[in-house]
Amino acid sequence: MANEELIYRITRAIYDRLGAAADETTVEQLVTDIYRAVEPAIGKNGSGPSTPAQARATFADSAAQEGSANRIVISVFGVDHPGIVAGVAEILSEAQCSIIDINQTVVQEKFAMVIIANAARAQLSVADLKNRLRSEGEKLGVHIYAQREDLFNAMHRI
Amino acid sequence: MEYTQAEILQTVRMTEMEHLDIRTVTLGLSLRDCATESIETTGQRVREKIERVASRLVSTVDEIGDEIGIRVANKRIAVTPVSILTEGARGNPVDLGRAIDEAALSVGVDFVGGYSALVHKGFTRNESEFLDSIPEALASTETLCGSVNAATTRAGINMDAVARVGRLIKEAAERTSDRGGLACAKFVCFANAVEDNPFMAGAFHGIGEPEAVVNVGVSGPGVVNHAVQHAESDLPLHELAELIKKLSFKLARAGELVGREAARRLGIPFGIIDLSLAPTPVPGDSVANILEAMGFERAGTHGTTAALALLTDAVKKGGAMASNSVGGMSGAFIPVSEDAGMIEAARVGALSLDKLEAWTSVCSVGIDMVAVPGSTSAETIAAIIADEMAIGVMNNKTTAVRIIPVPGRDVGEMVEFGGLLGNAPILPVNRFSSDQFIRRGGRIPAPVHSLRN
């Protein structure tokens, strides 16, 4: 798919300029913005720019082909208060894990978030990352679980 | 998102709240190349081989469990039936049992199975001596488990072996009377023993198996229990079966993922996944509770054999859909002492030994972890085993007996084994004698349906 290749090239270019230490979230945002800007020009879907969600989905699809053993599903549950997303995102950023997908809701003050992160370039072992997340969870007063994505794939996809 | 929030929640709930775990990753290991003319030398070679092949087993499996987010409760080893290794060798087979136990302790596994003999049609001279060594071997080791296969559908029932097993169970209990007869919890008598069973106490590495193999036993009664409890109370049974089947599919897929990953990292072929629902003493992680959630006041009452049949079959079907490597027992285990619901049902008098025997015609194994009074005779124990062997032989299925005549204890008292083995109320046995039948010895011929060629 041409669009995947384009996204890959944009990502590559940003990393080349900013270096490997670049903030993952910023990079991802930049990729999405640039992709949206150039997309009408390459005539994707025929009419108008796609939504960021569509762009992100394509991004996720391309990552999926890298093999899911490198991807981690992080689920966070607890009572809502400011700083939960930031706390988890900071740990992932420090560990050089990029966020592939994120879904967060608050229902009746109950906070629920699921993050799919790519740990292919992670600086920490999965065990260390889990420990960091666990202690952060205790600090934030929420439950944080981290599991390899292929478990979800095995259980819910044929 | 690639997975719905409901799917992610379901998996997290299963692993974190409903005790979904992999009961065991069992390394099957052939020791046939270790046999020599001296048991002492064989012992050295066995120790060296186990320590070499299984050195990374525990750390690798724990690492995978941590990454995937599913606890692997036990790491185990199953070896070639030891009676085969002692054939024609000088020395005491118990020494070989100790060497295997030491190796198991040194690599850090929870149990090692295979102090076993396959004598369903008769004994060799060596096997006859080997059987006598079982009580001492189990009483003087920590992790070693043993088994005897006393019957098959093709060969019938070796009633001489059954009678001897009755006596050896009594001896094993006496030798560990200070621990409630614990040695008996590490011994099982089979009909139609399975060669790739990863579960203890009956695991051994069958003679048709390859050099080494990784087998996985999945657990998960807590998951099924939760689903059945939350199902509508008027849900028809075929729909309940469908619900269990779907869950069992997911459990099997999770188990296979862990097993294949372990096999890959250890560089050993993947064998089978055994789908048995294996309970633990943790509240809710109970096969008895699943039966009760289907609509019974207590497990063990009338109708629970039918319910268990539905459960076992649904588990098998879900698993068979999920993996083409299903083997072992695959069904539901009903160990009394390891299942909080069973313990309670037995304590209040809902569950009897007779009902347990009836259940074994439809579940995956048999009378398991049942404590009976210490005064129970060897003949009565042999007769309980004979009944169980008959159910297995006639129905072409694996059945087994793991029974503990607890020295010095009587009906109504409890016995504590600790850990996964749990605790059990002592159940009454029939007070009428079976002695003369057992003393006849000989063989019960194979049934007519063994003539299938």
Side-chain angles (χ1 to χ4, degrees), chain A residues 1 3-4 11 15 18 24 28 38 50 71 73 76-77 81-82 89 96-97 108 113 127 130-131 141 145 147 156:
Chain A
M1 284 161 70
N3 294 327
E4 271 175 42
T11 315
Y15 270 113
L18 302 180
E24 303 279 349
E28 201 173 321
V38 302
S50 73
R71 306 211 294 176
V73 175
V76 186
F77 307 102
H81 60 81
Q96 297 285 306
C97 293
Q108 294 177 339
M113 172 167 74
K130 284 183 78 164
N131 283 336
Y145 307 103
Q147 295 168 296
H156 302 290

Side-chain angles (χ1 to χ4, degrees), chain A residues 130 148-149 154 156-157, chain B residues 2-3 7 11 66-67 253:
Chain A
K130 284 183 78 164
R148 245 168 58 178
E149 191 231 11
H156 302 290
R157 296 289 177 271
Chain B
E2 285 165 65
Y3 307 95
E7 287 170 336
T11 297
D66 204 32
E67 282 175 22
R253 296 269 289 190

Side-chain angles (χ1 to χ4, degrees), chain B residues 393-405:
Chain B
V393 165
M394 291 298 171
N395 294 299
N396 221 338
K397 75 188 285 294
T398 303
T399 50
V401 175
R402 183 161 52 147
I403 193 166
I404 306 109

Side-chain angles (χ1 to χ4, degrees), chain B residues 169-170 173-174 180 371-378 381 404-411 413 426-427 429:
Chain B
I169 286 177
K170 286 289 282 180
E174 286 305 327
V372 295
S375 57
T376 310
S377 72
I381 291 172
I404 306 109
V406 186
R409 303 279 174 91
D410 216 333
V411 176
E413 291 182 82
I426 295 179
L427 292 178
V429 297

